[in-house]
Amino acid sequence: MSGQVVSIATGEALQIPMSDPDLTLEDVVAVEQVLRGAQLGQGALVEELEQAFAAQCGRARGVATSSGAMALVMALTAKGIGPGDEVILSAHSFHELGHAVLRCGATPVFADIDYWSGCLSAKKSADKVTSRTRAILAGNTCGHPADWPGLRALADAHGLFLIEDSSEAIGSRHKEGVVGSFGDVALFDFAQPGVIACGEGGIALTDDTQLAMALRRLRSRSLSDRTSVTAGVDAPFGAPMGAMVAALALAQLRRLDVLLERRRGVQAMYDGFMQSFEGIKPPYISPDVEEVHWFLYTVHLGTRFTKGSRDAILEDMRTEGVEAHAYSSPLHLQRTYRALGWTRGDLFVTEKVADRAVVLPFHAHLTPEQIAFMVARLKDASINAGAGAAIY
């Protein structure tokens, strides 16, 4: 199934959208069965998804939520992280991560990333630990597993809560285990452009029974709770997952290997066409990583390119009907975080990588002709913007 994406800038239909969910008739039937039943809200299907997804990652318990972002807010709240506390994280990530820390009243403390993987550096994070640090929030950037042994050792050495954001890396595997198996809590999101794409929804995985219970209490109340005697005054977030989202996620989880293999084929086509593109950093896989399933196809431009020339390339791509974007706009350079004292130059590697990263459409419906077209347009746009040098 495919849809049509409209450009915000021009109002015209884009020829090649960033994401196009890999859905089948089985997905439609799964949702239809829910619609024909009596339970649209949280119920047996949600519990089945929680158990299946936890088993997929080798975890004891799963708590399904309305989104990965809400799962993060709930996890921070469940651990009592708030005013006066610090959370170490990367600025090279989705904005919701930093925003969740601020929403809980805690202070985001950004550490720089590893140049090659783009993930939060354990060594650089160690320099940020203070007496007020309560947690480390690390992600598997664009699908590449982080240095989880190093992050785990750092967290254990200082008694910190380790949060693993694996929303971009379903199926990826470090030599020490599959993503989702490392943090005290691991978070996944089921919105586009992920492999499991349900429009919304997320899940938190943990082996900690007490944490799982706290997450469930914070997620929602049942109808029976209306007449129960409450021992506390914590209001739930009202962020459950509905049965339709659970049915769609389960249907895709059951064929996850097929979904990943189809995307791997698209990656191979991209890699082949990119081989003749000089001055870019090729896809990197750490020696400590067994398997990477990319979230998006990211092109790292040469060091001669500036952020301005990168943006000009993006505009050229969109003019050609290709939905291309920057991978991230570093959090520490945005107004809310600048007000906390962050400024350009604080995170050298993050800024260098983010200013030159371009993400291209990445989904199973891309054809060799479309990929050849996009790479050719990218080359032309880079010539227009100025020749690039190797990024090393």
Side-chain angles (χ1 to χ4, degrees):
M1 295 183 179
S2 62
Q4 193 176 68
V5 176
V6 175
S7 168
I8 295 175
T10 66
E12 298 177 353
L14 289 166
Q15 298 170 17
I16 309 177
M18 179 67 67
S19 171
D20 189 4
D22 194 356
L23 303 179
T24 67
L25 184 58
E26 294 173 353
D27 299 306
V28 176
V29 171
V31 173
E32 182 182 13
Q33 288 176 343
V34 173
L35 290 173
R36 292 181 181 276
Q39 179 65 51
L40 294 179
Q42 187 176 299
L45 273 176
V46 174
E47 293 178 5
E48 183 180 350
L49 174 65
E50 290 174 337
Q51 294 168 8
F53 209 94
Q56 173 75 23
C57 297
R59 304 307 293 259
R61 291 168 179 79
V63 180
T65 63
S66 59
S67 71
M70 279 306 306
L72 174 56
V73 172
M74 288 161 50
L76 292 168
T77 303
K79 294 299 290 186
I81 295 174
D85 298 328
E86 295 177 348
V87 177
I88 297 172
L89 71 160
S90 166
H92 186 53
S93 61
F94 275 106
H95 302 167
E96 286 77 7
L97 301 183
H99 296 351
V101 175
L102 285 177
R103 176 67 67 182
C104 292
T107 301
V109 176
F110 298 111
D112 217 340
I113 59 175
D114 174 76
Y115 175 74
W116 293 102
S117 71
C119 300
L120 184 71
S121 166
K123 292 180 179 179
K124 295 172 184 177
S125 294
D127 297 334
K128 301 289 185 175
V129 176
T130 72
S131 60
R132 294 187 296 174
T133 306
R134 290 285 310 281
I136 300 172
L137 169 54
N140 301 297
T141 303
C142 208
H144 191 289
D147 174 16
W148 290 112
L151 291 165
R152 179 78 269 174
L154 177 62
D156 289 346
H158 297 276
L160 305 177
F161 184 49
L162 182 59
I163 306 169
E164 176 186 355
D165 173 29
S166 287
S167 297
E168 300 187 2
I170 294 176
S172 293
R173 181 178 291 274
H174 191 280
K175 285 186 177 179
E176 296 299 320
V178 67
V179 299
S181 65
F182 299 104
D184 294 311
V185 66
L187 312 174
F188 291 85
D189 189 87
F190 301 146
Q192 286 179 249
V195 179
I196 295 180
C198 306
E200 60 182 19
I203 195 167
L205 306 181
T206 185
D207 299 322
D208 185 332
T209 302
Q210 295 301 315
L211 177 59
M213 291 175 60
L215 290 172
R216 292 184 191 282
R217 287 195 300 269
L218 287 169
R219 176 179 61 185
S220 58
R221 301 281 192 222
S222 66
L223 286 174
S224 61
D225 288 325
R226 293 178 62 140
T227 56
S228 66
V229 177
T230 180
V233 294
D234 286 338
F237 287 99
M241 175 184 286
M244 285 190 289
V245 173
L248 191 53
L250 267 170
Q252 294 176 54
L253 181 62
R254 290 179 183 129
R255 64 175 195 281
L256 180 60
D257 289 345
V258 174
L259 293 174
L260 293 174
E261 187 60 33
R262 281 164 60 84
R263 289 167 68 95
R264 200 198 321 265
V266 173
Q267 177 199 331
M269 287 192 289
Y270 260 124
D271 289 348
F273 285 111
M274 282 289 179
Q275 299 229 341
S276 62
F277 195 158
E278 296 182 1
I280 66 166
K281 173 180 146 188
Y284 169 78
I285 298 179
S286 165
D288 296 326
V289 168
E290 288 187 353
E291 194 171 355
V292 175
H293 291 284
W294 301 113
F295 180 65
L296 296 165
Y297 196 86
T298 307
V299 178
H300 295 276
L301 300 169
T303 54
R304 193 179 300 174
F305 286 94
T306 63
K307 181 177 182 293
S309 58
R310 188 276 312 274
D311 291 342
I313 290 172
L314 292 176
E315 184 60 32
D316 282 352
M317 295 295 286
R318 292 170 188 148
T319 299
E320 295 287 349
V322 177
E323 188 182 8
H325 295 283
Y327 175 77
S328 82
S329 177
L331 273 174
H332 73 294
L333 299 181
Q334 298 184 32
R335 185 176 65 178
T336 298
Y337 302 91
R338 281 183 175 274
L340 298 176
W342 295 93
T343 187
R344 180 167 286 278
D346 288 341
L347 302 172
F348 175 78
V349 178
T350 295
E351 294 162 21
K352 180 176 181 177
V353 171
D355 284 354
R356 297 169 178 84
V358 171
V359 291
L360 299 177
F362 189 56
H363 53 81
H365 299 132
L366 291 171
T367 66
E369 293 77 17
Q370 287 176 317
I371 294 174
F373 171 80
M374 287 188 288
V375 174
R377 296 288 73 75
L378 182 64
K379 290 179 181 179
D380 289 345
S382 68
I383 292 172
N384 293 336
I391 195 169
Y392 309 107

